[in-house]
Amino acid sequence: MITTPGSKQAAALDVAGLRARFPGLVVLSITPFGNGAYRSWQATDPVLQALGSQLFRTGTPRREPLLAP
């Protein structure tokens, strides 16, 4: 199951109950930007293109960048 931290699905997930029922279960939690200042950021395509410097080469001068096709 994939959930977003803080969502209703994440709150409803009973990790302790699952571990009791399935002792060999491995529970993993990964966030796109870790636990630092950017932890609330979503790893959307525009965000990843901007962070990867792809938007630097797009658009026209003195205008907002364009997303790559």
Side-chain angles (χ1 to χ4, degrees):
M1 172 189 285
I2 298 174
T3 63
T4 303
S7 68
K8 290 179 185 179
Q9 294 87 358
L13 188 59
D14 180 18
V15 176
L18 287 171
R19 284 185 179 151
R21 188 170 173 194
F22 305 100
L25 181 67
V26 175
V27 178
L28 178 66
S29 176
I30 299 174
T31 59
F33 295 100
N35 295 323
Y38 305 112
R39 67 182 168 269
S40 64
W41 285 21
Q42 297 294 314
T44 61
D45 189 48
V47 169
L48 296 176
Q49 285 187 36
L51 292 173
S53 301
Q54 292 175 348
L55 298 185
F56 178 75
R57 302 183 309 248
T58 63
T60 56
R62 295 177 295 284
R63 301 276 320 260
E64 64 276 358
L66 300 173
L67 295 176

